[in-house]
């Protein structure tokens, strides 16, 4: 019991670190120019939703993978439920009023992805002895799961701004099912990461456009001016 307690503590710490690192890059670049308060509040809801989502995935999918059996297609049902839930959360009045669906979706996805990684990291620590390969896989899970879910939910929010409804729910459900299956398969097949990482890197390039859509129009000119001043200052220092 004590051993499992320490394993769970380690899994929680690793997942939280991955969630905090997932905020860097896209979100920090636009910091101060979107509805940060709503985004942070979504972290709480993301932990609740992600806890339920991760628990269901662990009980009905991951535990079956660990037993080296082929699970039923419950991942499609679980992820469809997740897609509908995400859509309902992003339809809340305070989110729609500020047009912050993409950034709110990013924050929500970070927390949900962190909860998924928490269960998976715990199972990895439970199953394998500590070694270089295990540390590498755990690091990838902690970094990729929150960021990949954030990208999917951010894209969902952008689709809502573009007027999409059920089509974006189905797309989110599909990508979540694909991601969840890949993450769980990495439990036994670490090489599957070569099929996970490239799509995440490609999606990250588009994420700037998705988040940019959440920046209020009056603030975009000021943001461009800040970037321009920073670029000139950087070039001046290099010269």
């Amino acid at each position: 019991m004590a051993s499992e307690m320490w394993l769970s503590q380690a899994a929680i710490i690793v997942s939280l670190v991955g969630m905090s690192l997932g905020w860097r890059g896209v979100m920090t670049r636009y910091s101060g120019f979107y509805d940060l308060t709503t985004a942070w509040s979504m972290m709480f809801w993301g932990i609740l939703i992600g806890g339920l989502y991760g628990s269901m995935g662990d009980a009905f999918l991951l535990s079956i993978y660990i037993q080296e059996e082929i699970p039923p297609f419950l991942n499609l049902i679980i992820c469809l439920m997740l897609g509908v839930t995400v859509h309902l959360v992003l339809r809340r009045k305070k989110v729609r009023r500020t047009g912050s669906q993409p950034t709110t979706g990013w924050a929500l996805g970070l927390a949900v992805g962190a909860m998924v990684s928490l269960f998976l990291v715990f199972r990895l620590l439970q199953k394998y002895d500590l070694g270089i390969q295990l540390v590498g896989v755990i690091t990838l899970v902690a970094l990729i799961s929150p960021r990949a879910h954030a990208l999917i939910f951010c894209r969902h929010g952008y689709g809502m701004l573009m007027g999409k409804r059920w089509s974006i729910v189905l797309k989110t459900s599909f990508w979540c099912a694909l991601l969840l299956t890949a993450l769980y398969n990495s439990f036994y097949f670490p090489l599957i990461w070569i099929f996970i990482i490239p799509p995440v890197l490609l999606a990250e390039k588009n994420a700037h456009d998705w988040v940019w859509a959440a920046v209020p129009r009056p603030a975009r000119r000021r943001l461009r001016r800040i970037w321009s001043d920073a670029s000139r200052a950087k070039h001046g220092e290099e010269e």
Side-chain angles (χ1 to χ4, degrees), residues 102-121:
T103 52
T104 304
W106 186 284
L108 186 68
L110 280 180
V112 170
M115 293 300 101
V116 172
S117 68
L118 188 156
F119 285 93
L120 184 51
V121 168

Side-chain angles (χ1 to χ4, degrees), residues 93-129:
K93 184 177 180 180
K94 67 177 181 179
V95 178
R96 289 186 288 110
R97 185 179 65 246
T98 57
S100 60
Q101 288 95 328
T103 52
T104 304
W106 186 284
L108 186 68
L110 280 180
V112 170
M115 293 300 101
V116 172
S117 68
L118 188 156
F119 285 93
L120 184 51
V121 168
F122 176 77
R123 292 296 189 182
L124 287 166
L125 290 171
Q126 204 176 37
K127 178 76 173 179
Y128 298 109
D129 294 328

Side-chain angles (χ1 to χ4, degrees), residues 1-238:
M1 184 66 69
S3 176
E4 289 198 353
M5 184 188 72
W6 286 112
L7 292 180
S8 63
Q9 291 294 323
I12 291 171
I13 292 171
V14 169
S15 300
L16 290 177
V17 170
M19 182 173 68
S20 63
L21 291 176
W23 197 268
R24 297 180 177 274
V26 177
M27 294 293 276
T28 53
R29 178 175 171 82
Y30 300 89
S31 181
F33 290 89
Y34 57 85
D35 189 359
L36 184 60
T37 304
T38 302
W40 274 110
S41 70
M42 283 299 115
M43 302 291 280
F44 169 75
W45 289 106
I47 290 173
L48 292 180
I49 295 169
L52 178 61
Y53 175 57
S55 178
M56 292 175 66
D58 179 75
F60 298 111
L61 299 172
L62 183 55
S63 59
I64 300 177
Y65 276 116
I66 293 173
Q67 297 170 9
E68 300 185 17
E69 298 177 7
I70 300 176
F73 290 101
L74 287 175
N75 60 335
L76 298 177
I77 299 174
I78 293 172
C79 292
L80 180 59
M81 293 168 58
L82 177 66
V84 172
T85 302
V86 171
H87 193 75
L88 292 176
V89 170
L90 297 184
R91 283 189 72 251
R92 296 179 67 187
K93 184 177 180 180
K94 67 177 181 179
V95 178
R96 289 186 288 110
R97 185 179 65 246
T98 57
S100 60
Q101 288 95 328
T103 52
T104 304
W106 186 284
L108 186 68
L110 280 180
V112 170
M115 293 300 101
V116 172
S117 68
L118 188 156
F119 285 93
L120 184 51
V121 168
F122 176 77
R123 292 296 189 182
L124 287 166
L125 290 171
Q126 204 176 37
K127 178 76 173 179
Y128 298 109
D129 294 328
L130 192 62
I132 296 177
Q133 182 174 332
L134 179 61
V135 172
V137 171
I138 287 176
T139 301
L140 287 172
V141 170
L143 292 176
I144 298 299
S145 179
R147 203 164 193 89
H149 281 90
L151 287 166
I152 293 172
F153 292 4
C154 181
R155 178 65 180 85
H156 189 119
Y158 177 75
M160 292 178 70
L161 285 181
M162 298 298 105
K164 297 180 180 179
R165 294 184 180 179
W166 288 110
S167 63
I168 198 64
V169 171
L170 294 176
K171 287 180 181 178
T172 295
S173 302
F174 170 78
W175 285 114
C176 284
L178 204 61
L179 175 61
L180 194 65
T181 301
L183 288 172
Y184 286 172
N185 272 285
S186 71
F187 191 93
Y188 281 119
F189 308 106
L191 286 178
I192 203 169
W193 286 105
I194 64 176
F195 299 102
I196 300 176
I197 296 174
V200 172
L201 295 178
L202 290 174
E204 184 117 6
K205 295 181 179 179
N206 295 322
H208 290 280
D209 295 331
W210 305 336
V211 174
W212 178 256
V215 177
R217 292 185 181 277
R220 294 180 183 180
R221 183 177 299 176
R222 285 187 291 133
L223 187 54
R224 289 194 185 99
R225 189 181 302 117
I226 291 172
W227 287 344
S228 178
D229 293 342
S231 178
R232 283 197 295 268
K234 183 179 179 180
H235 287 303
E237 290 177 359
E238 290 177 353

